[in-house]
Amino acid sequence: MTTTTLDTATVVAADARPRTRRRGLAPGKRLPAARLTGPLLLVALWAVASAAGRLDPGAVPAPWTVVETGVRLWTDGTLTTDVLTSLQRAGSGFAIGLAAGVLLALASGLTRTGEALIDGTVNLNRAIPTLGLIPLFILWLGIGETFKIAIIAIVVYIPIYLNTHAALSGIDHRFVELAEVQGLSKARFIREIVVPGALPGFFVGLRLGVTGSWLGLVVLEQINATSGLGYMMFQAQNYGQSDVILVGLVVYGIFGLVSDSTVRLIERRVLSWRRTLSN
């Protein structure tokens, strides 16, 4: 009786001791607009180097020169037309690639027959450089807009398929057994188990697909195009207008940063139930 009382008092006294807080291992609280720090620092270094005369103005114009050129191109309507054309091409190819990637991943990840027919074919397609398909697609689809959209769709669907399929394959089999025990229908199983389990991988593929659509567009708009940012940059190269080329690159960079940030924002909202280091 006495021993039990002493042991209890010892435990209570130990619990009452002040505990030293361990050093935090997490990255810490997210800073507002932190992702803009790097690009802004790069622009600041560019401006300082230009003002100090460290950069050749003919090769790398100063930031204010690029801004003036961009304003001039926007005012006369040239940049507006090119931006809208590029957005239309990238948007059309991205939409087709997104639908194809998701549908193929579901068919391959949820059925053995689909996996046998689709997975090997997609990985073979991944092994072939997509831009190397341009001559063949020109022969098949002509040299107009169709082949450009088709190439962008291929660039987009491959990362979406690969990451979504990997996420589907990585779902713990115990969840499948639990769904079978609970008597879930196929539709409820997909809605309540498959979709939440595959979403993290899908968003990774989506970010890669968004970036890929802009990278493919840069090359495609220099092939038999009469408008678009890539065409504008190609024409500027012929006339030695480095400021116009930099305007195009800056616009591409803004598009890429905004689209990637939008996907990340949607991802955080949709997957708000997860507790990760990025939260």
Side-chain angles (χ1 to χ4, degrees), residues 75-150:
T75 303
D76 63 22
T78 302
L79 186 58
T80 307
T81 303
D82 291 333
V83 165
L84 292 177
T85 302
S86 295
L87 286 174
Q88 182 179 1
R89 287 174 182 150
S92 300
F94 178 78
I96 297 173
L98 173 61
V102 171
L103 292 176
L104 290 175
L106 289 175
S108 178
L110 297 179
T111 63
R112 295 302 181 190
T113 302
E115 184 177 24
L117 295 174
I118 296 171
D119 192 58
T121 306
V122 174
N123 279 280
L124 177 62
N125 187 183
R126 179 173 67 96
I128 299 174
T130 304
L131 297 180
L133 297 173
I134 291 177
L136 186 60
F137 272 62
I138 291 177
L139 291 176
W140 288 349
L141 304 174
I143 203 166
E145 293 295 310
T146 306
F147 98 90
K148 296 181 178 67
I149 294 175

Side-chain angles (χ1 to χ4, degrees), residues 50-76:
S50 297
R54 298 293 183 179
L55 299 177
D56 180 8
V60 184
W64 44 88
T65 303
V66 174
V67 171
E68 291 174 0
T69 302
V71 172
R72 175 175 55 81
L73 292 174
W74 185 270
T75 303
D76 63 22

Side-chain angles (χ1 to χ4, degrees), residues 200-225:
F202 164 74
F203 277 111
V204 173
L206 187 62
R207 291 181 60 197
L208 294 175
V210 168
T211 304
S213 66
W214 297 118
L215 294 178
L217 192 65
V218 176
V219 178
L220 294 168
E221 287 190 328
Q222 299 182 26
I223 302 175
N224 192 47

Side-chain angles (χ1 to χ4, degrees), residues 193-272:
I193 304 296
V194 172
V195 172
L199 278 177
F202 164 74
F203 277 111
V204 173
L206 187 62
R207 291 181 60 197
L208 294 175
V210 168
T211 304
S213 66
W214 297 118
L215 294 178
L217 192 65
V218 176
V219 178
L220 294 168
E221 287 190 328
Q222 299 182 26
I223 302 175
N224 192 47
T226 58
S227 61
L229 290 172
Y231 169 77
M232 181 188 74
M233 294 167 63
F234 181 72
Q235 292 296 104
Q237 174 194 345
N238 294 333
Y239 293 101
Q241 299 172 318
S242 56
D243 55 340
V244 177
I245 295 176
L246 283 173
V247 169
L249 291 176
V250 168
V251 174
Y252 273 129
I254 291 174
F255 282 165
L257 183 62
V258 170
S259 56
D260 182 74
S261 299
T262 301
V263 173
R264 293 177 69 94
L265 178 61
I266 296 173
E267 179 183 11
R268 284 200 297 269
R269 295 290 178 85
V270 173
L271 303 179
S272 58

Side-chain angles (χ1 to χ4, degrees), residues 14-31:
D15 289 341
R17 294 172 186 169
R19 297 182 179 180
T20 58
R21 182 185 177 90
R22 293 186 59 190
R23 180 175 59 87
L25 301 178
K29 186 178 180 181
R30 181 184 295 275
L31 300 175

